[in-house]
Amino acid sequence: MTTTIAAIRGMHDILPERISTWQRIEDAARQVLAGYGYAEIRTPIVEITDLFKRSIGEVTDIVEKEMYSFTDRNGDSLSLRPEGTASCVRAVIENGLLNQPLRLWYRGPMFRHERPQRGRYRQFHQIGVEVFGLDGPDIDLEVILLTARLWRTLGLTGLRLEVNSLGDTQERAAYREQLVDYLEGHRTHLDADSQRRLTTNPLRVLDSKSPETQAITAAAPRLMDSLGEETRAHFAAILAGLEAVGIAYRINPRLVRGLDYYNRTVFEWITDDLGAQGTVCAGGRYDGLVAQLGGRDTPAVGFALGIERLVELVEAAGTVAAPPLDAYLVAVGEQAQREAPVLAERLRDAAPGLRLMTHCGGGSFKSQFKRADKSGARYALVIGDTELARGVIGIKPLREETGQRELTLAEAAELLTAASPRA
Ligand code: ATP
Ligand code: MG
């Protein structure tokens, strides 16, 4: 017997039974983002490896150990994108889009070679937002507000907002020294990754998941205390905006984010309902990244949310049923089977948006009718020799105890449209 081939570990099929939840999230995001004037951008899922090294940072989990990198036939090192920001920045620089403020969003698969577990996969999907050319707190506030609106649209109530400010480059440099001084005193009690990062990227030690390290960083000097007046005012304006709109938040001084490019504002939306992988959405400001990748100096802010984690939350909040079929067309006899696709096309012309499945593969009236019933359709449409001779369609409600009627094509189209009004 031939052996079967399985999907790659950590990469999953999204089967039809779950797809309505995915579509509901994607539709809600599209609708909310359009409501704030954001435009969609689509970039390739493969990029030159250096793009990610230069943007995400060499000393990050992603670049150190999670990237799917390979050499292509030309000998170039390419990588499957582990996140969307780097590609987005490359695209806006390359296409010369930075001469005015830009509000963009994207969605699609991302790839990271992590240990697969609940809420953590090797291919996963994100919806993300990137705004370029605006440096005030008003836009930081806007991106947070639109995420809050998305949760409301999806009926999710259990998400908490955490915010922090990482300061600007100088403030971070000053803080970095204080932090290193402090952490050096506890070096031997830090986890191995953190010991290494102490010299390469000490702020990331604050992001460590090791409980021992966390106990040490809990008493570390706080970045918030090293912030200058301007950064504080920027942060305060965001917090005031959140309060004015009525969005609850918590300042989390340990929130530093896993990527290198953030400055000033960072935020996360967190839930307790997903076990260890509780962060559903994460983002912040990254004013230096565009210049770092060779573009003109351009402030930027954005976020990414993990669709798989949202799907789990939305499913827990109640199932999203796929819209049922309006009708299933049963055709009995040779002539009727030839006529069926013609009739179905005319019905689709007459009733745009109609969800009509035509029976394929022939068979007796009884077996076709069984399929009609199983399809979940509201009506069975029936054509046989009699109906053809009289120029009518038989129509039988499948979900109520009413008999079969005969209608003309125009009448059938009207009935089906009325029965299932569409947005
Ligand atoms: P985490 O701390 O969970 O590893 P991260 O800081 O690596 O997250 P980001 O790179 O900021 O996450 O990605 C934003 C969001 O994308 C996360 O909050 C999460 O919802 C989702 N995400 C990230 N990595 C994965 C993954 N491997 N599988 C599923 N979703 C993911
Ligand atoms: Mg991660």
Side-chain angles (χ1 to χ4, degrees), residues 62 66 82-83 112 114 119-126 209 257-259 262 268 277 279-283 304-309:
I62 293 181
E66 296 174 0
E83 52 106 56
R112 297 184 196 174
E114 304 196 66
R120 193 173 292 288
Y121 312 102
R122 291 182 173 172
Q123 174 174 323
F124 61 99
H125 298 75
Q126 289 183 333
K209 306 229 155 70
R257 305 286 309 114
L259 314 180
Y262 288 104
E268 288 190 353
Q277 270 57 250
T279 306
V280 171
C281 171
L305 61 84
I307 304 184
E308 280 81 357
R309 294 183 194 178

Side-chain angles (χ1 to χ4, degrees), residues 206-334:
L206 298 175
D207 192 38
S208 167
K209 306 229 155 70
S210 140
E212 291 82 5
T213 302
Q214 285 188 357
I216 294 165
T217 55
R222 288 155 53 116
L223 177 51
M224 197 60 77
D225 301 327
S226 318
L227 299 182
E229 212 172 294
E230 224 183 296
T231 307
R232 277 171 200 268
H234 184 101
F235 193 49
I238 298 167
L239 303 183
L242 290 170
E243 282 157 31
V245 179
I247 307 287
Y249 64 86
R250 186 175 84 90
I251 297 174
N252 175 0
R254 289 147 63 109
L255 186 63
V256 293
R257 305 286 309 114
L259 314 180
D260 262 3
Y261 48 61
Y262 288 104
N263 68 302
R264 288 204 167 167
T265 322
V266 287
F267 68 93
E268 288 190 353
W269 285 95
I270 299 166
T271 173
D272 297 323
D273 302 334
L274 292 177
Q277 270 57 250
T279 306
V280 171
C281 171
R285 183 164 274 286
Y286 52 97
D287 292 335
L289 185 59
V290 177
Q292 193 179 312
L293 290 176
R296 66 162 84 161
D297 210 357
T298 309
V301 55
F303 67 80
L305 61 84
I307 304 184
E308 280 81 357
R309 294 183 194 178
L310 261 190
V311 165
E312 224 189 292
L313 289 180
V314 171
E315 281 182 348
T319 50
V320 183
L325 286 172
D326 298 315
Y328 188 99
L329 177 58
V330 167
V332 189
E334 245 175 68

